[in-house]
Amino acid sequence: MATHTEQTAPWWPLAAVGAGVIALCYGFARYAYGLFVPRFTETFGLSTAAVGVLGGVSTAGYGVGLLLAPKVSAHSARGTVLLAGTAATTGLALMALAPDVVVFGAGIAVAGGSAGLVSPGVAQLIGETVGDGGQARAQTWANTGTGLGLAASAFTPLVAFGWPVIWAAFAGLGVAMTLVAWRTLPRTQPAEAALGKTPGLTPLVLNSVLIGVTSAPYWTFSSSRLTEAGLGPAAATWCWFTIGVGGLLGGLAGRVAERIGLPAANLTTWTLAAAGIALLALPNPGLGGALVSSALFGCTYMALTGLCIVWAARVSPARPARGVTWSFVGLGVGQTAAAPLAGAAASAIGLGPVFGLTGLFALLAWAQLIPAARAVPQP
């Protein structure tokens, strides 16, 4: 049975390796797909509808990974992280070597599944091995691996090599990162079984749905908004890179939560997130405004998702993976629902007003001051 132990070793090596595997699974195996859509379209002769189907295949793989994560991580948190790294590497390799779109799609599905497995697995492993004194910091810094992966992949479309070579390099990095994890991650005993419902889970899931709803327009339409505002493709690349670099600062959220409390840290981050999103509502944000917006979005998105992981670990100390899974399901539901709604709204009123309204909508998080935030367990 896994229990919280007093911290006997530094928390940061585990957080660093966890961040590396998360960078592999999210930055390369899940999100880099969107950067190379024009090249994939040319290679396989894809229509716009086919590109959308392949994106859906990635999401389906992600959902399967999330659903498997609680049970698998209860058996072995370390094994779950290694399985995620192996799935990412396998999926990337299949994509690199794919002779046709069917094998390519299979690679996308396997790669997407890695992202669903990795965050619950890392959260569970940290919950089982890091004492309360460093757990919030370990969880939020590990979560910034997504930002690291985004930053590392941002400029890869500009590389002169063909995309299969780039994808093969991603798979090679996957082999190296998975081996590092295998050599360094600690072994733990199986977690205790979770009985019945988890009290306090509903506010966490609602918070996650709101993250999904407010982030989807940014992930989907920020580049289009920059083009509409007169900025070129190079600006969009730099903004993607800035999102990733800004995301690394999201690791500070754990320390902030330890100092001022999780509810206050969450609501402060939400306020900054609203400001970052609303900056793209300006008629002419310019490159400076776009970069500030990207930095704020990257930092607050990673901070908010990291705080959800901390929240999940406090709601269910023995089984953090369970809370993280439901949190990320809520995040996915919010993103899935909001992206088409934002597109329809943009057709009617324009992208600028959509970003303004999304920024205002983010302030709904302050409704948590009523009862929900007070229900967040404190360490």
Side-chain angles (χ1 to χ4, degrees):
M1 181 177 71
T3 59
H4 275 227
T5 59
E6 291 300 318
Q7 190 172 349
T8 57
W11 55 265
W12 60 264
L14 176 56
V17 175
V21 183
I22 288 174
L24 166 68
C25 296
Y26 275 98
F28 296 139
R30 179 152 166 79
Y31 288 141
Y33 167 81
L35 296 173
F36 285 81
V37 162
R39 298 199 192 184
F40 298 150
T41 299
E42 181 180 350
T43 300
F44 297 110
L46 303 175
S47 64
T48 303
V51 170
V53 168
L54 288 174
V57 167
S58 175
T59 301
Y62 177 66
V64 171
L66 276 177
L67 293 175
L68 291 175
K71 186 173 183 178
V72 176
S73 60
H75 177 70
S76 172
R78 178 180 183 271
T80 305
V81 178
L82 296 178
L83 178 62
T86 302
T89 303
T90 303
L92 290 166
L94 282 173
M95 294 168 73
L97 301 173
D100 53 47
V101 72
V102 174
V103 177
F104 185 77
I108 288 177
V110 175
S114 74
L117 287 166
V118 71
S119 291
V122 170
Q124 182 71 33
L125 188 58
I126 290 173
E128 291 176 2
T129 57
V130 177
D132 290 337
Q135 190 168 135
R137 282 173 286 171
Q139 297 284 17
T140 52
W141 278 113
N143 185 60
T144 62
T146 301
L148 177 63
L150 293 175
S153 65
F155 293 101
T156 52
L158 305 179
V159 176
F161 300 113
W163 71 262
V165 176
I166 296 171
W167 244 246
F170 288 169
L173 289 173
V175 171
M177 190 66 245
T178 305
L179 285 174
V180 169
W182 176 70
R183 289 293 301 273
T184 60
L185 292 180
R187 298 179 183 274
T188 59
Q189 295 298 316
E192 63 183 20
L195 301 175
K197 296 182 179 180
T198 302
L201 195 59
T202 299
L204 167 62
V205 173
L206 291 176
N207 185 71
S208 301
V209 170
L210 187 59
I211 297 172
V213 168
T214 54
S215 65
Y218 207 101
W219 287 121
T220 308
F221 297 111
S222 59
S223 293
S224 299
R225 172 60 185 148
L226 296 181
T227 301
E228 183 182 84
L231 299 175
T237 299
W238 277 104
C239 285
W240 185 269
F241 176 76
T242 303
I243 289 173
V245 173
L248 300 179
L249 297 176
L252 296 171
R255 184 63 170 172
V256 173
E258 289 175 349
R259 286 185 174 272
I260 67 174
L262 181 54
N266 192 47
L267 297 182
T268 300
T269 307
W270 268 112
T271 305
L272 292 173
I277 294 167
L279 274 174
L280 292 193
L282 296 175
N284 183 22
L287 180 58
L291 290 173
V292 171
S293 173
S294 299
L296 280 173
F297 177 77
C299 178
T300 56
Y301 182 81
M302 294 304 145
L304 287 170
T305 53
L307 290 171
C308 282
I309 294 172
V310 175
W311 191 338
R314 292 185 183 177
V315 166
S316 181
R319 293 289 308 277
R322 187 183 189 192
V324 172
T325 293
W326 281 109
S327 174
F328 279 44
V329 166
L331 177 68
V333 168
Q335 289 178 333
T336 302
L341 289 175
S347 299
I349 63 177
L351 281 172
V354 165
F355 279 98
L357 291 172
T358 303
L360 286 174
F361 195 74
L363 296 179
L364 285 178
W366 278 87
Q368 294 177 42
L369 277 176
I370 306 170
R374 298 181 191 138
V376 178
Q378 298 300 319

